[in-house]
């Protein structure tokens, strides 16, 4: 097998079918939010397997999170529990509403929010929790629901990494009628498990939340632009019910998403194959391997994160530099939020305040894993990692 000179951290998995779907949308005479977007929402609902769910397409997972926080009425004086191990959007949407994100440490093995630390930080002002399904492994549904119920908290799941994957009897996003989350937010960013280039989806069972989010994703206007420009009758009339946002998804992006959705399972299986090869190849190296899924909790394998242990002869930073020199692009997910200047300075965090996240950060590195990854790409990664750490 001839190995490539370079393996990127990510390469998009786009076929001719996606290309033709976008071309068809471009030629339709309608480019912004319209019929294709509406069909994408219906397709997603059908994929989750519950026609009573509301699936609302937006232009990013950040938008989905923001709309969810706003619709729940969270605002100044309120606090929201957020894991420090996440991308900044999970916390910044809380700040958008004038509320306070309270950063919580992680479980050192799964990188999930640590419920014990979260419980210590609950006050009379705590209104919600935004857990993150990290890397493609879902937080057990039952444990999350029990924690939220015990403390009367709203739940907004950040599922940017976690599609499609099973979690205790249903796909992540398939909300059950009793005792489940208020909303689940997905990302279709370019590097995610399926993509619309930029985009996202928020799923809720609550009719009132859905109606609020649908209005607020487009300036707080009472009617979608597609209805106003294509419906018969007095289509020009609309009302602004609140100062909303510009968070709608375009039909061209939705056209790409509709095809990607049909391929989501196959793309997930391919990432699973890559992950299996990595797990076998790196089992004897001085690294901590990622926690795998099981029959109850699957794994979408959006990321493959190893931790380089202290007994290795090189540290994380040197490993990334030398891997790049050898033709492998790696990354780090994530720099904990409490180490960033904004959160550190505004809220007075010190590294040791969230010790597990601070320790994991020093060791964590994300290896390439994507559905367009060839066997030669995978072998190149395995060869380089073993050369550097073996």
């Amino acid at each position: 097998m001839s190995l490539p000179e370079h393996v990127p951290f990510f390469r998009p998995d786009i076929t001719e079918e996606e290309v033709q779907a976008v071309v068809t949308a471009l030629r339709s005479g309608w480019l912004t939010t319209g019929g294709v977007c509406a069909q994408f929402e219906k397709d997603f609902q059908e994929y989750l397997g519950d026609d009573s769910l509301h699936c609302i397409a937006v232009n990013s997972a950040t938008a989905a999170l923001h709309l969810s926080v706003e619709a729940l009425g969270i605002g100044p004086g309120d606090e929201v529990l957020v894991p420090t191990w996440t991308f900044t959007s999970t916390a910044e949407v809380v700040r958008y509403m004038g509320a306070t994100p309270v950063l919580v440490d992680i479980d050192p093995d799964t990188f999930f929010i640590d419920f014990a630390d979260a419980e210590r930080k609950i006050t009379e002002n705590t209104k919600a929790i935004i857990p993150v399904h990290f890397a493609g492994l879902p937080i057990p549904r039952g444990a999350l629901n029990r924690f939220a119920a015990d403390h009367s908290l709203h739940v907004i799941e950040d599922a940017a990494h976690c599609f499609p994957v099973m979690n205790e009897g249903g796909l992540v996003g398939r909300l059950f009628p009793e005792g489940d989350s208020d909303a689940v937010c997905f990302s279709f960013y370019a590097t995610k498990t399926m993509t619309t280039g930029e985009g996202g989806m928020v799923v809720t069972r609550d009719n009132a939340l859905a109606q609020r989010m649908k209005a607020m994703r487009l300036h707080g206007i009472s009617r979608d632009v597609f209805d106003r420009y294509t419906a018969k009758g007095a289509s020009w009339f609309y009302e602004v019910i609140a100062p909303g946002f510009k968070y709608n998804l375009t039909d061209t992006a939705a056209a790409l998403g509709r095809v990607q959705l049909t391929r989501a399972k196959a793309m997930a299986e391919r990432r699973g194959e890559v992950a299996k090869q990595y797990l076998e190849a790196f089992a004897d190296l001085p690294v901590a391997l990622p926690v795998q899924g099981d029959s109850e909790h699957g794994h979408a394998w959006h990321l493959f994160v190893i931790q380089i242990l202290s007994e290795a002869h090189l540290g994380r930073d040197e490993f990334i530099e030398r891997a790049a020199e050898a033709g492998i692009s790696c990354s780090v997910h994530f720099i904990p939020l409490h180490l960033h200047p904004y959160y550190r300075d505004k809220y007075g965090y010190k590294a040791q305040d969230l010790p597990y996240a601070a320790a994991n950060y020093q060791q964590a590195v994300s290896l390439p894993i994507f559905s367009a990854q060839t066997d030669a790409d995978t072998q190149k990664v395995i060869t380089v990692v073993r050369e550097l750490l073996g």
Side-chain angles (χ1 to χ4, degrees), residues 294-306:
D294 54 33
S295 58
E296 283 290 297
H297 313 96
H299 205 309
W301 292 113
H302 167 56
L303 299 172
F304 192 96
V305 178
I306 62 172

Side-chain angles (χ1 to χ4, degrees), residues 220-266:
I221 291 174
S222 59
R223 295 182 63 188
D224 286 341
V225 66
F226 184 69
D227 290 334
R228 289 190 287 120
Y229 285 114
T230 61
K232 296 179 180 180
S235 60
W236 56 269
F237 184 79
Y238 65 92
E239 294 178 309
V240 176
I241 62 171
F245 316 108
K246 188 69 168 68
Y247 283 165
N248 56 305
L249 188 71
T250 68
D251 267 15
T252 47
L256 174 59
R258 290 193 67 203
V259 179
Q260 287 271 293
L261 187 60
T262 67
R263 301 179 56 228
K265 181 179 179 181

